[in-house]
């Protein structure tokens, strides 16, 4: 792995002919991160979370590598677009109310064979049936399990508020409801343990909280592994030919893959390695996706101002949702201004070495959301841009 100073020099040389703001993906880092995900999955296929990539060329690149199979999408419109583009295994990870999309799905055998939709409520089946527009194609269905950890008799809940289905009998009951309903077939089960896969357990300067998170995650993994196995047994009793059981995320690949009941794991953020994934004890990766903002002002000693940069990530508002100035190292936000809509002042001694037109390289807090800000990702190998690929936005697609 190169030093940050070496990487900065490489990126500056590679993009010297381009005007900033711009976004890059370091393909050497991207491929190394992909290899690490496969290693951690220990033989189980990795389904790529498209929301964390949002670039068709890079989805194709990673799916061409051994160990990866299928896409986990985030809207029905995206799922259909990807299926039309040639991706043959697309799992929609969230329920949808896209009636027009369901009409297309039910009327196209190729799309219906490639796309699996998420269901956790019979009312969602009613909506799909009402949207069929005469289409009779069988809809592939995945059921979602609530993975949250319940403590103190359920008075404390840790985990994302997703599916209402928690117990084996509930999942088996919905599986029976789908199986008895013409036009639908249960093919999979998904359980995303975001409180393990998406929460870092090694927070800089916060040892007590880090220990608390590790204790919580240890308890959550144990409870979920036992319950997930029971759920899979109950659902397989109804659907013996269940095709897949999906679980995990970048932060829990190796633990989730170790569960016998799980047949595949999901990951996406680990390919780009945004800043929120720095705080894990179980793995480390290489920052692969960055964006550069140009220096446009030098207001005083120890201060430069760059153009733009106010690209907060989704989630509960906080400083951890902001991009971080990465290269040169040692820059920080002005606490009175933060990351600005049009300009961002940065403080620190490295500012005195930056000239008008120089670049400051940032890392986004999350992965694919960076692509909502840029039309193009410039792909770097060594110290050269070897290709440029449109993001979803660059292809005129803004699915959410």
């Amino acid at each position: 792995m190169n030093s940050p100073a070496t990487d900065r020099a490489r990126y500056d040389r590679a993009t010297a002919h381009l005007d900033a703001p711009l976004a890059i993906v370091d393909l050497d880092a991207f491929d190394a991160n992909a290899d690490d995900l496969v290693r951690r999955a220990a033989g189980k296929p990795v389904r790529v979370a498209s929301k964390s990539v949002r670039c068709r060329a890079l989805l194709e690149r990673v799916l061409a590598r051994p160990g990866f199979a299928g896409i986990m999408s985030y809207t029905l419109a995206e799922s259909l677009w990807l299926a039309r583009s040639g991706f043959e295994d697309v799992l929609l990870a969230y329920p949808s109310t896209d009636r027009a999309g369901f009409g297309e799905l039910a009327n196209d055998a190729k799309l219906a064979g490639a796309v699996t939709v998420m269901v956790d409520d019979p009312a969602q089946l009613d909506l799909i049936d009402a949207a069929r527009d005469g289409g009779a194609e069988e809809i592939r269905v995945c059921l979602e399990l609530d993975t949250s950890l319940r403590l103190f008799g359920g008075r404390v809940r840790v985990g994302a508020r997703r599916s209402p289905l928690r117990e084996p009998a509930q999942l088996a009951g919905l599986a029976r409801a789908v199986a008895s309903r013409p036009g639908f077939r249960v093919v999979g089960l998904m359980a995303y343990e975001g409180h393990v896969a998406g929460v870092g357990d090694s927070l800089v300067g916060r040892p007590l909280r880090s220990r608390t998170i590790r204790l919580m995650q240890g308890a959550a993994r144990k409870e979920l592994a036992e319950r997930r196995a029971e759920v899979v047994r109950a659902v397989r009793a109804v659907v013996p030919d269940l095709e897949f059981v999906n679980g995990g995320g970048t932060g829990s690949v190796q633990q989730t893959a170790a569960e016998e009941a799980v047949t595949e794991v999901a990951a996406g953020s680990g390919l780009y390695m945004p800043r929120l994934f720095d705080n894990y004890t179980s793995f480390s990766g290489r920052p692969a996706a960055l964006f550069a903002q140009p220096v446009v002002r030098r207001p005083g000693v120890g201060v430069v101002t760059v153009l733009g940069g106010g690209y907060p990530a989704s989630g509960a508002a906080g400083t951890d949702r902001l991009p971080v100035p990465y290269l040169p190292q040692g820059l920080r936000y002005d606490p009175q201004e933060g990351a600005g809509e049009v300009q961002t002042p940065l403080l620190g001694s490295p500012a005195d070495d930056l000239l008008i037109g120089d670049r400051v390289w940032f890392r986004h807090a999350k992965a694919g959301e960076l692509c909502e800000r840029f039309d193009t990702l410039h792909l770097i190998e060594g110290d050269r841009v070897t290709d440029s690929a449109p993001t979803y936005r660059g292809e005129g697609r803004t699915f959410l």
Side-chain angles (χ1 to χ4, degrees), residues 134-209:
E137 295 297 334
E138 186 175 66
I139 305 300
R140 292 167 54 86
V141 168
C142 179
L143 310 181
E144 183 170 3
L145 166 68
D146 168 39
T147 65
S148 63
L149 176 65
R150 307 289 177 88
L151 301 170
F152 306 108
R155 293 190 296 276
V156 175
R157 182 183 186 281
V158 182
R161 297 182 183 277
R162 293 176 63 109
S163 172
L165 306 176
R166 180 173 180 82
E167 302 302 328
Q170 294 176 300
L171 276 295
L174 184 55
R176 280 191 293 271
V178 175
S180 65
R181 190 161 181 156
F184 295 92
R185 178 163 60 98
V186 175
V187 298
L189 178 69
M190 189 189 91
Y192 172 58
E193 53 266 45
H195 48 301
V196 178
V199 178
D201 64 348
S202 180
L203 308 180
V204 176
R206 306 184 70 181
L208 183 58
R209 178 162 178 76

Side-chain angles (χ1 to χ4, degrees), residues 296-369:
V296 293
R297 287 177 170 164
R298 291 170 49 88
V301 175
V303 187
V304 292
T305 301
V306 298
L307 182 68
Y311 307 155
S314 59
T319 56
D320 65 332
R321 300 291 146 168
L322 296 178
V324 61
Y326 177 53
L327 301 171
Q329 292 186 305
L331 294 172
R332 65 186 186 278
Y333 291 119
D334 181 336
Q336 301 301 313
E337 295 194 46
E341 177 185 8
V342 177
Q343 67 171 29
T344 298
L346 298 171
L347 312 180
S349 58
D352 294 328
D353 296 323
L354 292 170
L355 305 176
I356 300 296
D358 284 349
R359 280 130 191 224
V360 175
W361 294 91
F362 291 76
R363 294 173 65 198
H364 204 277
K366 298 182 79 172
E369 291 183 24

Side-chain angles (χ1 to χ4, degrees), residues 13 24 35 37 76 127 158 178 263 306 337 371 375 381:
R13 283 196 302 271
I24 66 167
D35 288 342
L37 288 170
L76 182 55
L127 186 146
V158 182
V178 175
T263 66
V306 298
E337 295 194 46
C371 296
D375 293 339
E381 297 181 77

